[in-house]
Amino acid sequence: MELDRMDENDWKYHGEGNKSLVVSHVQHCRVLRLLKYPAEDSENPPQTAEQAFRQIQNIVDFTSNVMSCLLGEKFVHSGEVVRLPLEFVRQLSIKIQHQRPAWRCDKVMDIYSGCALCLPNLTSPTLHQPTPTPPLCIEIKPKCGFLPSPKHVSKDIKTRVCRYCMHQHYKVANGKWKRHSLYCPLDLFSGNRQRMHFAIRHLIEEPQNNLKVFKGGQCIYSSKEGSDESPDTNSLLHHLRPYFLRGNNRVNGHMTTKAVLNDFIQVLGNALLSAAGGDGGQVTDRTGEGRSFCEASLFNRERIRHGSQGLPTNNILSRILQTQMLDSLDIEGLYPLYCRVEQHLQDFPKDRTGLQIDGPYDQNFLEKVQKCSMEDDGSVEYAAAKVHQYRIAMTAKDCSIMVTLVPSGEEEDDDEDLSSQKRLRDFRPQAFSSSVSVLDLDPKPLDSVPRQLRLDQKIVSCYLRTGGTLPNGSLPPLPSILAAEREERALLFQAV
């Protein structure tokens, strides 16, 4: 990428989050992440170019020196900071403005610093040549996969119902989503294939911000926040059907919608469980913890007839879960330690550097986190280390998993561009090659702790106030998947 010859017409809008906007190159497998700030600051940027550069470099350092060590180097892409021509950035901002969702336009793209994070485009992996069935990429934001210990929470409900399921009620009550999702992260992180299948199916039926499907780099399935429209599952199944036509789940030569969906969920589940680069390894048993079942999940525990109740060691879900569990105190137990740190910094502001509140995110930072004492000795160093653990855990709770699936019958098995490749031989219709990556690994700022406490209190209060029931009309409508299945059965009976 020649930085001095950048052309805005070579880039297109890709997506955005709360703090950054992403554009992708139309030919090369690259994306640029650019910072955003409130629209009212558009004429007066909140930070200098050097401060913007340092902010992005902190993301790179945190990703490569902290999250990569905890999650595994083969799953993480750190990227690099680049300085772009200001005129290119300004023209790019103008070009993509009309493609941005209206509800995201309360913030504007940083056009003053010229700094961006350059990363591989994981939705469009480099392939030898185009094929009739291009790669499928599934982005999953799994969220928190365990329940907190009763030792540190004030409301017993938090030990029985997971944060995600309670948060659904709060989001629906506040109009962020019109329908609530039946997905439960604890089912996905269980390692039990039945529960994982159940979780993935509900992600598909109501994806919200937790599931996106890409084909050949183009997003073919997602939800629009605040929209009254349900995602078009029939369209998704139409895209998926060619990938599973070799299967034997057919009636009179017709592959049913249910068979397509089940095969897709099966191969995705295999990829998530087999992403260790080998055959999975030892399984970590979670049945005795009592923190791996959520009462709000509609999955019936009695349905578990066989299979493990844990994740393979070094599997990506296992690594994410273990990193999430660095939050051993819950936000309620963590907040007093945060206050200790804040008070100390008010009294001794120069200690901010020594405590590495804003980095540098280096080996020393990671060692402080990993060697933190189990017992509180009353020191600010202990409090700061626990706050750092919480911030890392929050990053793991908010990360995304990108699963790339390539029908191996159409691609060379030794494709070096697919890292952590695993041939899923036990998948019935045909084998797929998979690669798994983790993204959205930015460090969470120190000042996010009070906001998280306030949000936690609102979520729990809303759930207790409603008694765990949703307003009328907020339940998901009968999924179009089921409607399509009934229609297919009727057609098949008529053909007999």
Side-chain angles (χ1 to χ4, degrees):
M1 190 168 66
E2 299 181 51
L3 298 178
D4 58 341
R5 300 177 61 183
M6 301 289 283
D7 185 341
E8 68 274 9
N9 295 312
D10 292 335
W11 299 84
K12 61 181 180 179
Y13 178 82
H14 189 81
E16 59 188 293
N18 185 44
K19 295 183 178 180
S20 61
L21 183 148
V22 181
V23 294
S24 58
H25 199 279
V26 296
Q27 291 182 321
H28 303 303
C29 187
R30 286 286 179 269
V31 298
L32 294 173
R33 274 186 58 189
L34 300 107
L35 299 176
K36 300 195 310 184
Y37 44 78
E40 56 265 26
D41 295 331
S42 59
E43 300 297 326
N44 185 27
Q47 58 184 359
T48 66
E50 286 308 311
Q51 288 172 329
F53 184 91
R54 172 41 53 191
Q55 180 180 345
I56 300 175
Q57 186 61 54
N58 267 348
I59 294 173
V60 174
D61 293 343
F62 185 78
T63 302
S64 60
N65 297 328
V66 179
M67 301 308 296
S68 179
C69 294
L70 296 171
L71 300 179
E73 292 183 5
K74 58 192 170 188
F75 299 123
V76 176
H77 303 271
S78 302
E80 62 175 334
V81 192
V82 294
R83 293 185 186 270
L84 306 168
L86 291 181
E87 183 60 23
F88 160 75
V89 178
R90 292 185 183 120
Q91 292 301 320
L92 179 64
S93 176
I94 294 171
K95 177 192 173 186
I96 66 171
Q97 183 60 34
H98 72 282
Q99 302 173 40
R100 300 179 61 198
W103 61 276
R104 287 289 192 189
C105 292
D106 61 328
K107 293 186 177 181
V108 295
M109 194 176 92
D110 173 18
I111 61 172
Y112 293 102
S113 72
C115 298
L117 176 60
C118 183
L119 291 157
N121 185 352
L122 298 175
T123 69
S124 183
T126 303
L127 297 172
H128 294 311
Q129 59 186 4
T131 65
T133 50
L136 288 173
C137 296
I138 302 92
E139 181 178 350
I140 297 174
K141 192 176 281 290
K143 307 305 284 188
C144 183
F146 70 99
L147 297 170
S149 165
K151 182 178 179 181
H152 303 290
V153 300
S154 60
K155 303 293 184 182
D156 176 66
I157 192 67
K158 292 174 67 173
T159 68
R160 297 184 286 112
V161 178
C162 79
R163 166 67 173 257
Y164 180 88
C165 289
M166 282 197 286
H167 203 175
Q168 283 292 303
H169 292 251
Y170 182 74
K171 288 179 177 179
V172 170
N174 286 275
K176 184 171 184 179
W177 295 106
K178 301 297 183 182
R179 297 165 296 277
H180 90 297
S181 169
L182 299 180
Y183 164 72
C184 179
L186 273 64
D187 290 329
L188 184 69
F189 280 100
S190 69
N192 178 273
R193 289 185 180 273
Q194 291 172 281
R195 290 179 67 187
M196 291 181 70
H197 189 288
F198 190 79
I200 295 170
R201 178 168 181 129
H202 285 302
L203 273 178
I204 294 171
E205 290 176 353
E206 193 63 44
Q208 297 189 3
N209 284 336
N210 300 92
L211 178 84
K212 292 180 181 180
V213 181
F214 300 83
K215 185 174 79 170
Q218 298 296 319
C219 183
I220 59 172
Y221 191 68
S222 64
S223 278
K224 294 181 180 179
E225 192 166 320
S227 173
D228 290 326
E229 298 180 7
S230 298
D232 190 354
T233 49
N234 286 327
S235 175
L236 171 65
L237 292 167
H238 174 75
H239 283 289
L240 294 178
R241 193 177 294 274
Y243 292 85
F244 304 101
L245 286 177
R246 299 180 191 177
N248 53 12
N249 288 330
R250 307 185 192 191
V251 179
N252 294 340
H254 176 77
M255 189 173 188
T256 65
T257 294
K258 182 177 181 180
V260 173
L261 180 66
N262 285 342
D263 286 352
F264 174 62
I265 293 175
Q266 183 182 342
V267 77
L268 179 55
N270 285 347
L272 289 170
L273 286 174
S274 305
D279 293 328
Q282 182 180 356
V283 171
T284 55
D285 183 20
R286 299 183 62 211
T287 54
E289 292 183 20
R291 297 166 65 184
S292 59
F293 271 102
C294 169
E295 288 184 4
S297 171
L298 294 184
F299 187 89
N300 186 344
R301 299 190 199 188
E302 295 178 359
R303 289 175 55 187
I304 301 179
R305 298 181 296 273
H306 55 79
S308 65
Q309 191 56 39
L311 293 164
T313 305
N314 291 327
N315 161 271
I316 188 56
L317 288 176
S318 177
R319 282 178 172 267
I320 291 173
L321 181 62
Q322 292 304 311
T323 305
Q324 291 179 352
M325 294 180 78
L326 285 173
D327 172 20
S328 59
L329 303 177
D330 188 70
I331 185 62
E332 293 185 67
L334 188 279
Y335 186 70
L337 298 178
Y338 161 82
C339 293
R340 184 190 303 175
V341 174
E342 277 292 284
Q343 184 60 56
H344 182 86
L345 294 178
Q346 289 179 19
D347 298 337
F348 306 97
K350 292 184 178 180
D351 284 359
R352 192 176 186 94
T353 301
L355 293 173
Q356 294 184 260
I357 300 300
D358 309 303
Y361 299 114
D362 52 16
Q363 185 63 34
N364 184 51
F365 178 89
L366 183 61
E367 288 179 0
K368 286 181 180 180
V369 169
Q370 293 178 323
K371 295 180 179 180
C372 179
S373 170
M374 297 291 290
E375 299 295 328
D376 185 357
D377 58 5
S379 68
V380 69
E381 288 78 14
Y382 170 84
K386 296 304 288 185
V387 170
H388 291 331
Q389 285 185 343
Y390 174 81
R391 292 168 61 199
I392 293 171
M394 288 302 295
T395 294
K397 292 177 186 180
D398 205 34
C399 74
S400 295
I401 303 171
M402 184 67 77
V403 180
T404 301
L405 301 174
V406 180
S408 57
E410 297 182 11
E411 295 300 322
E412 294 296 328
D413 292 345
D414 59 353
D415 184 359
E416 296 178 356
D417 292 314
L418 293 177
S419 60
S420 307
Q421 201 172 81
K422 169 65 178 173
R423 286 180 57 80
L424 306 173
R425 293 289 186 184
D426 57 339
F427 177 58
R428 179 176 49 194
Q430 66 179 102
F432 280 76
S433 295
S434 72
S435 101
V436 177
S437 302
V438 187
L439 55 159
D440 297 337
L441 297 174
D442 299 14
K444 303 298 182 183
L446 180 69
D447 62 12
S448 67
V449 173
R451 293 200 302 270
Q452 285 295 328
L453 179 65
R454 291 192 295 270
L455 178 59
D456 184 78
Q457 292 169 339
K458 291 176 182 177
I459 290 170
V460 174
S461 175
C462 177
Y463 192 81
L464 292 174
R465 186 172 63 252
T466 61
T469 59
L470 287 152
N472 290 334
S474 62
L475 287 171
L478 185 66
S480 56
I481 292 175
L482 299 180
E485 288 175 5
R486 288 203 308 274
E487 182 179 344
E488 283 181 340
R489 283 198 296 268
L491 290 172
L492 290 171
F493 283 129
Q494 292 172 12
V496 174

